[in-house]
Amino acid sequence: MDRSVEFRKIYDAHRTAVHAYFVGRTGDRWRAADLMQETFLRAWRRLPELTGLSDDGQRAWIFTVARNLSIDEHRQSRTRAATDAALRAEPADAAAPASTSVIAAERVTVVADCIRRLPEQQRVTLTLAAAGGLTSAEMATALGVPAGTVRYRLSEARRALAEALRTYDDVEQP
């Protein structure tokens, strides 16, 4: 007999009862339809084994699969509910104080002032690295100096910026 004909026979014989079982277990006809689909997908995969059983044996096999899927669904549902409850119980992140944006703006001003005060060679090197994204070798070629000189200038510029921010942060601490 054709595989699809055998499956259709089993499906037609049990689909209404399986769907009713899942509706009763889940209370949701759409979730019941999904579980019923999974049940019959497993039946399709095991069709040679299933067709060798009597009608009562087929029904028992199908409802064993349905019961196991129902248990799995219930466990997953409980896990989702527990996870949701745990997430709701977590304290919400405290909003950042209003002063945060003011301090950030002041720090940007400190950095901008420091960059303006840098010697021109350091300022150009820092700009090429930060805005241009150039490597030390590329900057060396563009500036006509050794790569080591570029790295030194960049290091000095970054050190000056770090010191300016450190000074600002030390003054701002209560």
Side-chain angles (χ1 to χ4, degrees):
M1 191 181 254
D2 183 21
R3 184 176 167 91
S4 60
V5 171
E6 291 175 11
F7 177 78
R8 183 51 120 175
K9 180 182 163 213
I10 293 170
Y11 178 78
D12 288 341
H14 302 289
R15 69 184 169 103
T16 304
V18 171
H19 188 261
Y21 172 77
F22 282 130
V23 169
R25 298 289 296 185
T26 65
D28 178 355
R29 71 184 184 121
W30 298 110
R31 186 64 194 136
D34 288 344
L35 291 168
M36 185 178 87
Q37 179 181 2
E38 180 62 27
T39 300
F40 284 105
L41 177 62
R42 291 180 185 191
W44 174 261
R45 289 180 183 151
R46 304 289 293 269
L47 192 59
E49 176 185 326
L50 196 55
T51 54
L53 299 174
S54 66
D55 288 345
D56 287 340
Q58 289 175 354
R59 183 174 185 83
W61 188 95
I62 288 171
F63 273 92
T64 299
V65 170
R67 178 182 173 276
N68 290 340
L69 286 172
S70 178
I71 291 168
D72 290 346
E73 170 67 18
H74 180 69
R75 286 178 182 153
Q76 289 173 359
S77 173
R78 279 194 348 222
T79 301
R80 280 190 299 270
T83 301
D84 290 344
L87 289 174
R88 281 191 301 275
E90 289 267 329
D93 290 338
S99 62
T100 301
S101 61
V102 172
I103 292 171
E106 288 176 356
R107 291 184 96 219
V108 167
T109 302
V110 167
V111 169
D113 289 343
C114 182
I115 291 172
R116 272 190 232 101
R117 287 192 310 269
L118 287 174
E120 182 179 355
Q121 294 173 337
Q122 288 179 10
R123 190 173 55 245
V124 169
T125 305
L126 182 66
T127 304
L128 288 173
L134 300 178
T135 65
S136 58
E138 293 168 334
M139 287 186 277
T141 302
L143 298 173
V145 296
T149 302
V150 169
R151 289 190 292 275
Y152 175 76
R153 289 177 184 170
L154 191 55
S155 173
E156 289 298 307
R158 288 176 176 159
R159 189 180 344 261
L161 292 174
E163 182 57 35
L165 286 173
R166 201 172 12 262
T167 301
Y168 170 80
D169 290 342
D170 287 346
V171 170
E172 288 299 309
Q173 295 300 323

